[in-house]
Structures are given as structure tokens and as C-alpha cells.
Amino acid sequence: MRDFGYARAGTAEAAAGALAGPGTAVIAGGTELLNWFRLGIAAPDRVVDIGGLDGLRGIAVQHHELRIGALATLNEVGEHPLVIQTAGALASACLQAASAQIRNRATIGGNVLQRTRCPYFRAEEPLPWPCNKRDPGSGCTSLVGRHERQAIFGWTRDCVAVQPSDPAVALAVLDAQADVLGPAGPRAIPMREFHLTQREAAAAGEPMRETRLEPGELITGYRLPVSPSGQAYVKVRERASYEYAIVSAAATVRLDARAAGAREPRAAGAREPRAAGAREQGLITAARIALGSVAQRPWRLTAAEAELPGTPLTREALTPVIERAMADAAPLPQNGFKVTMACNAAVRALLAAGGAS
């Protein structure tokens, strides 16, 4: 590890100003940045600590929006009554994101900025193989090596990695906006557009760029519209704790109350009592669905969202809609199973959000 300078920011504006300088990184919880130091992914000359900025904390509902400060920890977000009540998919995603110890430190502002878990990217220096993210122009070892956990959407031959954040998937499906502050002042970035696929980055002339943050910009918080829709987050992983998703899915569902009988939407993870016998399911009036760990950004199934209104909330009716929306998937030789797995996760999330699981 290299020596570096350390300073504590007194204001968000001061932190953003410091970030505008070369060789400067921001630290909050530190659960990701310190790993970058250890592996040689990052070696800044100066680190600015924003952990003492109380103005970037807090969770509240204001003007029909849920507002979450960037320094709120994953446990604070996942366990907060307002989040559970108004953004249940996000609460569930935060609580499934990591171990309890890490969730006590990791912030929701930092979580969406974590880098890929690709094993070729995460190797310690000196890097024993080519990786365009670590050594631009050297090549992508995963493309010709192991890639069963890699992208099925938006990848290029320069990189096939995925974005691993759980909260990012929920934020994308809930139409959240990230409030950012930088040298040009404050602005908002829709979370469904915050990350870039490799194809999008290449089209912009910056093939290794991963987000729409400009140099010197800092996430200060998130704003989510309060919605009466039911919500759910489904994470498929190899073990039930402290593991990154193979695929994940977040969904919101609004049903026709006349067909299904009026009922309150439920928070993600809460189970409904089931009546004896088969219960008639309602028709979907609106739905949103986002997939995680299938691309370098959360992947909204917009074609399915357009087709789902009027669809019965049954597995038999939902599956062909999701399968058609997955038609653009481009799996690699070793990860074709992720297409089926993502389809099944999306159907599960829709059923859970509608109260049918």
C-alpha cells in the first residue's frame, strides 16, 4: 500500500472541491475503498473522509418523496420503518447485500459505486493476466476464460463484467434519483441511467467508464417517489449469506382492485396469509421490473413493463411476457443458464410484489 494524505471534509462542497483535484478519493464506510488499496485497484495521493458530514445522513418523507442521505448505512436503510413502508424492495435489497457487520459500515452512497467482482479484475498486483479495467488495452481475460457469472446484456469484447450492487437494482426499479454535487453545482441522475453498460460507454468514447458521475462529483443522497405499488426483491445466490447475486430481480406491481379485491400492498419479504383453496388473482395495471448481475447496470425490462398491464398475476401468464423481454440477451458460452435464471427470478419478484407468492 502506498502512503497517502488524509483530510476530513467539513462540508459536502469542500469534499466535492477536493475531489476535483487529481489523485483524490473519498472515503465513507471504507468497506470497498480499502479493498481497492489492498489489491492495487486504486492508489490515490489523498483521501478525503466525508464520514462526519451529518447533513448527508437521515431518512425522511418530504413532499411525497422518500429521501435517503448518502451516508445512511445499509442496515439503517433496510431497517427503517419509512423505507420498509414506502420502498420495501430497497429495504430487502439492503438487508441481503452483505453480512451484518459490513452493513453496519457500508453506506448506500458508496454501495452503488462498488466495482465488479470479476476475479480477473480483483486480482492483487502485479496483475498476472490482461484486464482492460486495470490495464487499458491489455484485453479481457474473462472473455476467453471463466465467465459464468458475467454479463448477458450490454457487454463488449473489451469487458464482460457486471455491476454487483443489490440496492442499485431496487433504486432503478423504484425510479429513484441520485442527488449529486460537483464543480458545476448540484444535479440529479436517474438511477436507471446512473450506470453504463460497456456498449454505452464505448459509444460515448470512454469504453471503461462505469457511471455517469463526472470528475469531482459526489453522491449526496437519493429521492424516491412514494408509490402505493407492491414491491419485492429476489436474490439468487450460491449461499444465503454474504454472497453476491448470480442474478437478482426487483419488481413493483399494481393490481386492479376490482378483480383481485382491494388489499394493501405489502413490503418486500412480508408474507400474506393464504386462504383455503385457490384465490382468484387480479390483473396487473402497472408493473416495473429490473434485473441485477446481468449487465454493468441494472437492466430494466421495459418491453415487459409495456406488455404487463392487463396480464393476470399468475406464473403461467407472466412467464411468456418475461421470456419475450429477454429475447435480446446475448449470453456467453458459459453463462446461458443466467437467461433462464433471470427469467425465473423476474417472475418470482412479480408474483411476490403482487402478493401471490
Side-chain angles (χ1 to χ4, degrees), residues 85-253:
Q85 179 183 358
T86 63
L90 178 60
S92 180
C94 287
L95 294 180
Q96 295 184 63
S99 67
Q101 295 91 336
I102 289 178
R103 295 197 311 266
N104 279 331
R105 287 290 303 168
T107 65
I108 194 168
N111 179 271
V112 304
L113 296 174
Q114 65 181 291
R115 307 290 298 276
T116 179
R117 315 313 294 191
C118 173
Y120 301 107
F121 172 78
R122 291 271 169 175
E124 292 187 17
E125 285 193 331
L127 207 61
W129 40 62
C131 173
N132 282 321
K133 286 187 181 295
R134 298 280 297 274
D135 183 13
S138 63
C140 175
T141 301
S142 186
L143 185 66
V144 296
R146 295 188 60 180
H147 48 246
E148 63 272 15
R149 303 288 290 262
Q150 306 291 42
I152 59 174
F153 292 105
W155 57 271
T156 68
R157 297 194 67 82
D158 289 328
C159 181
V160 294
V162 299
Q163 164 56 235
S165 169
D166 292 295
V169 183
L171 289 166
V173 86
L174 295 175
D175 285 338
Q177 296 201 61
D179 290 322
V180 304
L181 180 66
R187 69 182 180 113
I189 305 174
M191 282 304 296
R192 63 181 297 179
E193 302 172 4
F194 183 88
H195 296 94
L196 296 168
T197 67
Q198 292 89 339
R199 193 173 301 157
E200 291 167 338
E206 299 179 84
M208 290 301 108
R209 184 171 180 175
E210 298 180 11
T211 75
R212 296 187 188 276
L213 281 180
E214 298 293 342
E217 286 190 323
L218 174 75
I219 298 175
T220 59
Y222 303 92
R223 288 178 289 122
L224 295 73
V226 174
S227 169
S229 300
Q231 302 176 19
Y233 181 73
V234 171
K235 182 174 182 177
V236 181
R237 47 188 167 173
E238 291 182 347
R239 60 182 185 224
S241 64
Y242 198 26
E243 180 61 282
Y244 294 92
I246 302 173
V247 299
S248 64
T252 70
V253 170

